Amino acid sequence: MSGHDHGDDGVSRRKVLECMTWAGTGVLWTITGGVPRSLGIIDSAQAKTAAAPGMTFLQISDSHVGFDKPANPNALGTLEEAVNKINAMPAKPSFMIHTGDITHLSKAAEFDNAERIISQSKLDVHYVPGEHDFLDEEVKFYRERYGRGTKGAGWYSFDAGGVHFIGLVNVVDLKAGGLGNLGAEQLAWLEDDLRGKSKSTPIVLFAHIPLWTVYPEWGWGTEDGGRALEYVKGFGSVTVLNGHIHQVMQKVEGNVTFHTARSTAFPQPAPGAAPSPGPMKVEDARLRSMLGVASVNFKQNEQQLAIIDTPLQG
């Protein structure tokens, strides 16, 4: 999405509305027979009961443990609130995915604090790094905790409930404001990982920075994300989960549903709505309505996948 108007507001609002769905308290998506459709905005009470029986997993993102600026002086506290919300779910999810920026400054104590809180969910957690997790000189704190058994900078895949999950890394050598990048080595691995998979296998790709171009002026996209998406083109059901932009956006292109998650730490402005991205201060009463988690349900026999966003409050 890179269209522009010639008017004063710069970004084409029409183009924004054409290529993404803005979500409020929760949007339920289903994928049946590889065809996605939105069931519309739902409130959190409905969201808890809407998902059909089947495999459910959670997405959590952008915890930024260690952040303490006015946008949220207690990011660790809101992460704990998110975990408490997870623990209160009526049905225990199969596992959790964290799509990066676990910490704010890649400090050992920040990783320790994040692990202390997230482990209270008693769920298996599959991580990919955000750029804030790669700030220490040797990137050793992330790799020591989450890099074992992965390839390259931390990419890997696994199977669960009939779905093939692929964790990608697009934050290596990221320049401020620059687009994410996967690189030739990772793309070759991805192509090989998918080789021989049945085209009826549902695929979930997850990475920190969106693989689709949300707003290139702010680096909200991945330079070679299109190459990765070419490899999943022939599969009937593909879901792409990302973080980084701290707000819910969804888009459907053919067989692929793209979904970005809220942060548990602080919101960021909508594309083009501010001079630059970054922590956005809102009224204290609104903060928790702009933070949250996502649950994803997959019912194997019906090829159905639903994404439900639930804010911490509201």
Side-chain angles (χ1 to χ4, degrees), residues 60-69 71-85 98 101-104 107-120 127 146 263-266 287-288 291 312:
I60 192 171
S61 198
D62 295 272
S63 303
H64 286 272
V65 169
F67 182 85
D68 60 359
K69 301 298 186 291
N72 182 359
N74 187 13
L76 187 64
T78 48
L79 173 61
E80 189 164 24
E81 288 180 40
V83 170
N84 289 340
K85 200 169 190 72
H98 194 303
D101 282 355
I102 306 156
T103 68
H104 194 59
K107 294 181 178 178
E110 294 174 350
F111 281 109
D112 289 343
N113 283 332
E115 181 62 24
R116 176 172 57 83
I117 298 302
I118 293 172
S119 66
Q120 292 173 15
Y127 292 88
Y146 311 118
S263 167
T264 66
F266 54 82
L287 176 62
R288 283 161 179 77
L291 309 177
L312 294 186

Short mmCIF file of all heavy atoms in Angstrom, two decimals, residues 60-69 71-85 98 101-104 107-120 127 146 263-266 287-288 291 312:
data_model
loop_
_atom_site.label_atom_id
_atom_site.label_comp_id
_atom_site.label_asym_id
_atom_site.label_seq_id
_atom_site.Cartn_x
_atom_site.Cartn_y
_atom_site.Cartn_z
N ILE A 60 0.92 -13.03 20.75
CA ILE A 60 1.23 -11.89 21.61
C ILE A 60 2.41 -11.18 20.97
O ILE A 60 3.20 -11.80 20.26
CB ILE A 60 1.53 -12.37 23.04
CG1 ILE A 60 1.56 -11.21 24.03
CG2 ILE A 60 2.80 -13.19 23.10
CD1 ILE A 60 1.64 -11.67 25.47
N SER A 61 2.52 -9.87 21.15
CA SER A 61 3.57 -9.16 20.43
C SER A 61 3.98 -7.88 21.14
O SER A 61 3.22 -7.32 21.94
CB SER A 61 3.06 -8.81 19.01
OG SER A 61 4.15 -8.50 18.15
N ASP A 62 5.21 -7.45 20.84
CA ASP A 62 5.69 -6.13 21.22
C ASP A 62 5.46 -5.82 22.70
O ASP A 62 4.83 -4.84 23.07
CB ASP A 62 5.03 -5.08 20.33
CG ASP A 62 5.45 -5.23 18.87
OD1 ASP A 62 6.49 -4.64 18.49
OD2 ASP A 62 4.78 -5.97 18.13
N SER A 63 6.06 -6.67 23.54
CA SER A 63 5.94 -6.48 24.99
C SER A 63 6.82 -5.34 25.49
O SER A 63 6.51 -4.70 26.50
CB SER A 63 6.34 -7.78 25.71
OG SER A 63 5.56 -8.85 25.26
N HIS A 64 7.94 -5.10 24.80
CA HIS A 64 8.84 -3.99 25.13
C HIS A 64 9.14 -3.90 26.63
O HIS A 64 9.08 -2.83 27.23
CB HIS A 64 8.27 -2.66 24.63
CG HIS A 64 8.37 -2.48 23.15
ND1 HIS A 64 9.49 -1.94 22.53
CD2 HIS A 64 7.51 -2.81 22.15
CE1 HIS A 64 9.30 -1.91 21.22
NE2 HIS A 64 8.10 -2.45 20.96
N VAL A 65 9.45 -5.04 27.23
CA VAL A 65 9.78 -5.05 28.65
C VAL A 65 11.01 -4.18 28.88
O VAL A 65 12.03 -4.32 28.21
CB VAL A 65 10.01 -6.49 29.14
CG1 VAL A 65 10.60 -6.51 30.54
CG2 VAL A 65 8.70 -7.27 29.10
N GLY A 66 10.91 -3.26 29.80
CA GLY A 66 11.95 -2.27 30.05
C GLY A 66 11.53 -0.88 29.64
O GLY A 66 12.12 0.11 30.08
N PHE A 67 10.50 -0.76 28.79
CA PHE A 67 9.98 0.56 28.40
C PHE A 67 9.28 1.19 29.60
O PHE A 67 8.49 0.54 30.29
CB PHE A 67 8.99 0.39 27.24
CG PHE A 67 8.44 1.69 26.73
CD1 PHE A 67 9.13 2.43 25.78
CD2 PHE A 67 7.23 2.19 27.20
CE1 PHE A 67 8.63 3.63 25.31
CE2 PHE A 67 6.72 3.39 26.73
CZ PHE A 67 7.42 4.11 25.78
N ASP A 68 9.58 2.48 29.84
CA ASP A 68 8.97 3.14 31.00
C ASP A 68 8.66 4.62 30.73
O ASP A 68 8.59 5.43 31.64
CB ASP A 68 9.90 3.03 32.21
CG ASP A 68 11.28 3.68 31.98
OD1 ASP A 68 11.52 4.20 30.86
OD2 ASP A 68 12.11 3.65 32.90
N LYS A 69 8.45 4.95 29.45
CA LYS A 69 8.17 6.35 29.08
C LYS A 69 6.68 6.66 29.27
O LYS A 69 5.88 5.77 29.56
CB LYS A 69 8.60 6.59 27.63
CG LYS A 69 10.07 6.32 27.36
CD LYS A 69 10.96 7.24 28.18
CE LYS A 69 12.43 7.09 27.81
NZ LYS A 69 13.01 5.80 28.20
N ALA A 71 4.14 6.99 27.44
CA ALA A 71 3.14 6.21 26.71
C ALA A 71 2.68 4.99 27.52
O ALA A 71 1.56 4.51 27.35
CB ALA A 71 3.69 5.77 25.36
N ASN A 72 3.54 4.48 28.38
CA ASN A 72 3.19 3.42 29.33
C ASN A 72 4.34 3.25 30.31
O ASN A 72 5.32 2.56 30.00
CB ASN A 72 2.90 2.09 28.63
CG ASN A 72 2.49 0.99 29.61
OD1 ASN A 72 2.43 1.21 30.82
ND2 ASN A 72 2.22 -0.20 29.10
N PRO A 73 4.27 3.85 31.48
CA PRO A 73 5.37 3.76 32.44
C PRO A 73 5.58 2.36 33.01
O PRO A 73 6.57 2.12 33.68
CB PRO A 73 4.94 4.73 33.56
CG PRO A 73 3.89 5.60 32.95
CD PRO A 73 3.20 4.75 31.93
N ASN A 74 4.68 1.43 32.74
CA ASN A 74 4.79 0.10 33.31
C ASN A 74 4.45 -0.97 32.27
O ASN A 74 3.43 -1.65 32.34
CB ASN A 74 3.86 -0.03 34.53
CG ASN A 74 4.06 -1.36 35.27
OD1 ASN A 74 5.03 -2.08 35.03
ND2 ASN A 74 3.12 -1.69 36.15
N ALA A 75 5.32 -1.12 31.28
CA ALA A 75 5.09 -2.10 30.22
C ALA A 75 5.11 -3.52 30.77
O ALA A 75 4.40 -4.40 30.26
CB ALA A 75 6.14 -1.95 29.12
N LEU A 76 5.89 -3.77 31.81
CA LEU A 76 5.90 -5.10 32.42
C LEU A 76 4.53 -5.41 33.04
O LEU A 76 4.03 -6.53 32.96
CB LEU A 76 7.01 -5.20 33.47
CG LEU A 76 7.24 -6.59 34.07
CD1 LEU A 76 7.71 -7.56 33.00
CD2 LEU A 76 8.24 -6.53 35.22
N GLY A 77 3.93 -4.38 33.62
CA GLY A 77 2.63 -4.57 34.25
C GLY A 77 1.53 -4.90 33.25
O GLY A 77 0.68 -5.76 33.51
N THR A 78 1.54 -4.23 32.09
CA THR A 78 0.50 -4.53 31.10
C THR A 78 0.75 -5.89 30.43
O THR A 78 -0.19 -6.56 30.03
CB THR A 78 0.38 -3.42 30.04
OG1 THR A 78 1.66 -3.08 29.54
CG2 THR A 78 -0.29 -2.18 30.63
N LEU A 79 2.01 -6.31 30.34
CA LEU A 79 2.29 -7.68 29.88
C LEU A 79 1.69 -8.68 30.86
O LEU A 79 1.07 -9.68 30.45
CB LEU A 79 3.80 -7.91 29.75
CG LEU A 79 4.23 -9.34 29.44
CD1 LEU A 79 3.65 -9.83 28.11
CD2 LEU A 79 5.75 -9.47 29.45
N GLU A 80 1.84 -8.41 32.15
CA GLU A 80 1.27 -9.30 33.15
C GLU A 80 -0.26 -9.34 33.06
O GLU A 80 -0.89 -10.39 33.20
CB GLU A 80 1.70 -8.88 34.55
CG GLU A 80 1.32 -9.88 35.63
CD GLU A 80 2.09 -9.66 36.93
OE1 GLU A 80 2.53 -8.52 37.17
OE2 GLU A 80 2.23 -10.62 37.69
N GLU A 81 -0.87 -8.18 32.78
CA GLU A 81 -2.32 -8.14 32.58
C GLU A 81 -2.72 -9.01 31.39
O GLU A 81 -3.75 -9.71 31.43
CB GLU A 81 -2.79 -6.70 32.36
CG GLU A 81 -2.74 -5.83 33.61
CD GLU A 81 -3.22 -4.41 33.32
OE1 GLU A 81 -4.20 -4.25 32.57
OE2 GLU A 81 -2.59 -3.47 33.84
N ALA A 82 -1.93 -8.95 30.32
CA ALA A 82 -2.22 -9.78 29.15
C ALA A 82 -2.14 -11.26 29.49
O ALA A 82 -3.00 -12.06 29.08
CB ALA A 82 -1.26 -9.44 28.01
N VAL A 83 -1.12 -11.64 30.24
CA VAL A 83 -0.98 -13.05 30.64
C VAL A 83 -2.13 -13.47 31.55
O VAL A 83 -2.65 -14.58 31.44
CB VAL A 83 0.40 -13.29 31.29
CG1 VAL A 83 0.48 -14.68 31.92
CG2 VAL A 83 1.51 -13.11 30.26
N ASN A 84 -2.54 -12.58 32.44
CA ASN A 84 -3.69 -12.90 33.30
C ASN A 84 -4.95 -13.12 32.46
O ASN A 84 -5.77 -13.99 32.77
CB ASN A 84 -3.93 -11.78 34.31
CG ASN A 84 -2.85 -11.72 35.38
OD1 ASN A 84 -2.14 -12.70 35.61
ND2 ASN A 84 -2.72 -10.58 36.03
N LYS A 85 -5.10 -12.32 31.42
CA LYS A 85 -6.25 -12.48 30.52
C LYS A 85 -6.19 -13.82 29.81
O LYS A 85 -7.20 -14.51 29.62
CB LYS A 85 -6.27 -11.33 29.51
CG LYS A 85 -7.63 -11.10 28.86
CD LYS A 85 -7.61 -9.79 28.08
CE LYS A 85 -9.02 -9.43 27.63
NZ LYS A 85 -9.88 -9.00 28.73
N HIS A 98 5.00 -15.48 19.98
CA HIS A 98 5.37 -14.09 20.29
C HIS A 98 6.09 -13.53 19.08
O HIS A 98 7.14 -14.03 18.68
CB HIS A 98 6.28 -14.02 21.51
CG HIS A 98 6.42 -12.64 22.09
ND1 HIS A 98 6.88 -11.56 21.36
CD2 HIS A 98 6.15 -12.16 23.33
CE1 HIS A 98 6.89 -10.48 22.12
NE2 HIS A 98 6.45 -10.81 23.32
N ASP A 101 10.02 -8.07 19.64
CA ASP A 101 10.18 -6.97 20.60
C ASP A 101 9.70 -7.42 21.97
O ASP A 101 8.86 -6.78 22.61
CB ASP A 101 9.48 -5.70 20.13
CG ASP A 101 10.27 -4.94 19.07
OD1 ASP A 101 11.42 -5.36 18.77
OD2 ASP A 101 9.76 -3.95 18.52
N ILE A 102 10.27 -8.52 22.40
CA ILE A 102 10.04 -9.02 23.75
C ILE A 102 10.52 -7.97 24.74
O ILE A 102 9.86 -7.68 25.73
CB ILE A 102 10.82 -10.34 23.96
CG1 ILE A 102 10.48 -11.35 22.86
CG2 ILE A 102 10.55 -10.92 25.34
CD1 ILE A 102 11.57 -12.38 22.65
N THR A 103 11.69 -7.40 24.45
CA THR A 103 12.32 -6.41 25.31
C THR A 103 12.39 -5.07 24.59
O THR A 103 12.13 -4.98 23.39
CB THR A 103 13.75 -6.84 25.69
OG1 THR A 103 14.58 -6.79 24.50
CG2 THR A 103 13.77 -8.24 26.27
N HIS A 104 12.78 -4.06 25.33
CA HIS A 104 12.94 -2.74 24.72
C HIS A 104 14.39 -2.43 24.35
O HIS A 104 14.65 -1.80 23.33
CB HIS A 104 12.40 -1.65 25.64
CG HIS A 104 12.22 -0.33 24.97
ND1 HIS A 104 11.40 -0.16 23.88
CD2 HIS A 104 12.77 0.90 25.21
CE1 HIS A 104 11.43 1.10 23.47
NE2 HIS A 104 12.26 1.76 24.26
N LYS A 107 18.35 -6.03 27.12
CA LYS A 107 19.14 -6.24 28.33
C LYS A 107 18.78 -7.59 28.95
O LYS A 107 17.64 -8.04 28.87
CB LYS A 107 18.88 -5.12 29.33
CG LYS A 107 19.37 -3.76 28.86
CD LYS A 107 19.10 -2.68 29.90
CE LYS A 107 19.64 -1.33 29.44
NZ LYS A 107 19.36 -0.25 30.42
N ALA A 108 19.78 -8.21 29.59
CA ALA A 108 19.54 -9.52 30.20
C ALA A 108 18.40 -9.48 31.20
O ALA A 108 17.55 -10.37 31.24
CB ALA A 108 20.83 -10.02 30.86
N ALA A 109 18.36 -8.42 32.01
CA ALA A 109 17.30 -8.32 33.03
C ALA A 109 15.93 -8.19 32.37
O ALA A 109 14.93 -8.69 32.91
CB ALA A 109 17.57 -7.12 33.94
N GLU A 110 15.86 -7.51 31.22
CA GLU A 110 14.58 -7.38 30.52
C GLU A 110 14.10 -8.74 30.00
O GLU A 110 12.92 -9.08 30.13
CB GLU A 110 14.71 -6.37 29.37
CG GLU A 110 14.98 -4.95 29.84
CD GLU A 110 15.25 -3.98 28.69
OE1 GLU A 110 15.40 -4.44 27.54
OE2 GLU A 110 15.29 -2.77 28.95
N PHE A 111 15.01 -9.50 29.42
CA PHE A 111 14.64 -10.86 28.98
C PHE A 111 14.21 -11.71 30.17
O PHE A 111 13.24 -12.48 30.08
CB PHE A 111 15.80 -11.52 28.25
CG PHE A 111 15.97 -11.09 26.83
CD1 PHE A 111 17.04 -10.28 26.44
CD2 PHE A 111 15.07 -11.49 25.85
CE1 PHE A 111 17.20 -9.89 25.12
CE2 PHE A 111 15.22 -11.10 24.52
CZ PHE A 111 16.29 -10.29 24.16
N ASP A 112 14.92 -11.58 31.30
CA ASP A 112 14.57 -12.35 32.50
C ASP A 112 13.17 -11.99 32.99
O ASP A 112 12.37 -12.87 33.33
CB ASP A 112 15.59 -12.10 33.61
CG ASP A 112 16.96 -12.71 33.34
OD1 ASP A 112 17.04 -13.60 32.46
OD2 ASP A 112 17.93 -12.30 33.98
N ASN A 113 12.87 -10.70 33.02
CA ASN A 113 11.56 -10.26 33.49
C ASN A 113 10.45 -10.71 32.55
O ASN A 113 9.37 -11.13 32.99
CB ASN A 113 11.53 -8.73 33.63
CG ASN A 113 12.25 -8.26 34.88
OD1 ASN A 113 12.32 -8.99 35.88
ND2 ASN A 113 12.78 -7.05 34.85
N ALA A 114 10.72 -10.63 31.24
CA ALA A 114 9.72 -11.09 30.27
C ALA A 114 9.44 -12.57 30.46
O ALA A 114 8.28 -13.01 30.47
CB ALA A 114 10.21 -10.81 28.85
N GLU A 115 10.49 -13.36 30.61
CA GLU A 115 10.33 -14.80 30.80
C GLU A 115 9.56 -15.11 32.08
O GLU A 115 8.70 -16.00 32.11
CB GLU A 115 11.70 -15.48 30.82
CG GLU A 115 11.66 -16.99 30.99
CD GLU A 115 10.96 -17.71 29.85
OE1 GLU A 115 10.90 -17.16 28.73
OE2 GLU A 115 10.45 -18.82 30.09
N ARG A 116 9.85 -14.36 33.13
CA ARG A 116 9.17 -14.59 34.41
C ARG A 116 7.66 -14.40 34.28
O ARG A 116 6.87 -15.19 34.81
CB ARG A 116 9.74 -13.63 35.47
CG ARG A 116 9.06 -13.70 36.82
CD ARG A 116 9.81 -12.87 37.84
NE ARG A 116 9.96 -11.48 37.44
CZ ARG A 116 9.01 -10.55 37.62
NH1 ARG A 116 7.85 -10.87 38.17
NH2 ARG A 116 9.22 -9.30 37.25
N ILE A 117 7.25 -13.37 33.53
CA ILE A 117 5.82 -13.09 33.37
C ILE A 117 5.19 -14.05 32.36
O ILE A 117 4.15 -14.66 32.61
CB ILE A 117 5.60 -11.63 32.93
CG1 ILE A 117 6.12 -10.67 34.01
CG2 ILE A 117 4.12 -11.38 32.64
CD1 ILE A 117 5.48 -10.84 35.37
N ILE A 118 5.81 -14.21 31.18
CA ILE A 118 5.21 -15.02 30.12
C ILE A 118 5.10 -16.48 30.55
O ILE A 118 4.13 -17.17 30.21
CB ILE A 118 6.01 -14.87 28.81
CG1 ILE A 118 5.86 -13.43 28.29
CG2 ILE A 118 5.55 -15.86 27.75
CD1 ILE A 118 6.76 -13.09 27.12
N SER A 119 6.07 -16.96 31.34
CA SER A 119 6.03 -18.35 31.78
C SER A 119 4.84 -18.63 32.68
O SER A 119 4.43 -19.80 32.85
CB SER A 119 7.33 -18.72 32.50
OG SER A 119 7.46 -17.98 33.71
N GLN A 120 4.23 -17.59 33.25
CA GLN A 120 3.06 -17.79 34.10
C GLN A 120 1.86 -18.29 33.30
O GLN A 120 0.90 -18.81 33.86
CB GLN A 120 2.70 -16.48 34.81
CG GLN A 120 3.73 -16.06 35.85
CD GLN A 120 3.45 -14.67 36.43
OE1 GLN A 120 2.36 -14.13 36.28
NE2 GLN A 120 4.45 -14.11 37.09
N TYR A 127 8.97 -18.11 19.65
CA TYR A 127 9.38 -16.72 19.49
C TYR A 127 10.02 -16.46 18.13
O TYR A 127 10.65 -17.33 17.54
CB TYR A 127 10.42 -16.34 20.55
CG TYR A 127 9.91 -16.29 21.97
CD1 TYR A 127 9.92 -17.44 22.77
CD2 TYR A 127 9.44 -15.11 22.52
CE1 TYR A 127 9.48 -17.39 24.09
CE2 TYR A 127 8.99 -15.05 23.84
CZ TYR A 127 9.01 -16.20 24.61
OH TYR A 127 8.57 -16.15 25.91
N TYR A 146 16.38 -18.26 22.93
CA TYR A 146 15.37 -18.69 21.96
C TYR A 146 15.95 -19.20 20.64
O TYR A 146 15.19 -19.64 19.79
CB TYR A 146 14.42 -17.53 21.66
CG TYR A 146 13.90 -16.85 22.91
CD1 TYR A 146 14.19 -15.51 23.16
CD2 TYR A 146 13.14 -17.55 23.83
CE1 TYR A 146 13.71 -14.88 24.31
CE2 TYR A 146 12.66 -16.93 24.98
CZ TYR A 146 12.96 -15.60 25.21
OH TYR A 146 12.50 -14.99 26.34
N SER A 263 0.16 -4.37 20.42
CA SER A 263 1.22 -4.50 21.40
C SER A 263 0.62 -4.74 22.78
O SER A 263 -0.55 -4.43 23.02
CB SER A 263 2.04 -3.21 21.41
OG SER A 263 2.90 -3.14 22.53
N THR A 264 1.41 -5.28 23.71
CA THR A 264 0.98 -5.28 25.10
C THR A 264 1.59 -4.10 25.86
O THR A 264 1.36 -3.96 27.06
CB THR A 264 1.39 -6.58 25.82
OG1 THR A 264 2.81 -6.65 25.91
CG2 THR A 264 0.87 -7.81 25.08
N ALA A 265 2.35 -3.24 25.15
CA ALA A 265 3.07 -2.16 25.83
C ALA A 265 2.51 -0.77 25.55
O ALA A 265 2.18 -0.02 26.47
CB ALA A 265 4.55 -2.21 25.44
N PHE A 266 2.43 -0.38 24.28
CA PHE A 266 1.95 0.96 23.94
C PHE A 266 1.46 0.96 22.50
O PHE A 266 1.91 0.18 21.67
CB PHE A 266 3.05 2.01 24.13
CG PHE A 266 4.34 1.72 23.40
CD1 PHE A 266 4.49 2.04 22.05
CD2 PHE A 266 5.41 1.14 24.05
CE1 PHE A 266 5.67 1.77 21.36
CE2 PHE A 266 6.59 0.86 23.39
CZ PHE A 266 6.72 1.18 22.04
N LEU A 287 -5.71 3.60 27.31
CA LEU A 287 -4.52 2.81 26.99
C LEU A 287 -4.84 1.33 26.83
O LEU A 287 -4.48 0.71 25.83
CB LEU A 287 -3.45 3.01 28.07
CG LEU A 287 -2.18 2.16 27.90
CD1 LEU A 287 -1.47 2.49 26.59
CD2 LEU A 287 -1.24 2.34 29.08
N ARG A 288 -5.51 0.74 27.81
CA ARG A 288 -5.72 -0.70 27.78
C ARG A 288 -6.67 -1.14 26.68
O ARG A 288 -6.68 -2.31 26.29
CB ARG A 288 -6.18 -1.19 29.15
CG ARG A 288 -5.01 -1.26 30.13
CD ARG A 288 -5.42 -1.30 31.57
NE ARG A 288 -4.24 -1.40 32.44
CZ ARG A 288 -3.43 -0.37 32.72
NH1 ARG A 288 -3.67 0.83 32.20
NH2 ARG A 288 -2.38 -0.54 33.50
N LEU A 291 -4.33 -2.00 23.72
CA LEU A 291 -3.37 -3.09 23.90
C LEU A 291 -4.15 -4.39 23.93
O LEU A 291 -5.33 -4.41 24.26
CB LEU A 291 -2.60 -2.92 25.22
CG LEU A 291 -1.95 -1.56 25.47
CD1 LEU A 291 -1.28 -1.55 26.85
CD2 LEU A 291 -0.94 -1.20 24.39
N LEU A 312 -6.99 -5.52 26.27
CA LEU A 312 -6.86 -5.74 27.71
C LEU A 312 -8.08 -5.23 28.45
O LEU A 312 -8.43 -5.70 29.53
CB LEU A 312 -5.61 -5.05 28.26
CG LEU A 312 -4.26 -5.58 27.76
CD1 LEU A 312 -3.13 -4.90 28.50
CD2 LEU A 312 -4.17 -7.09 27.92
#
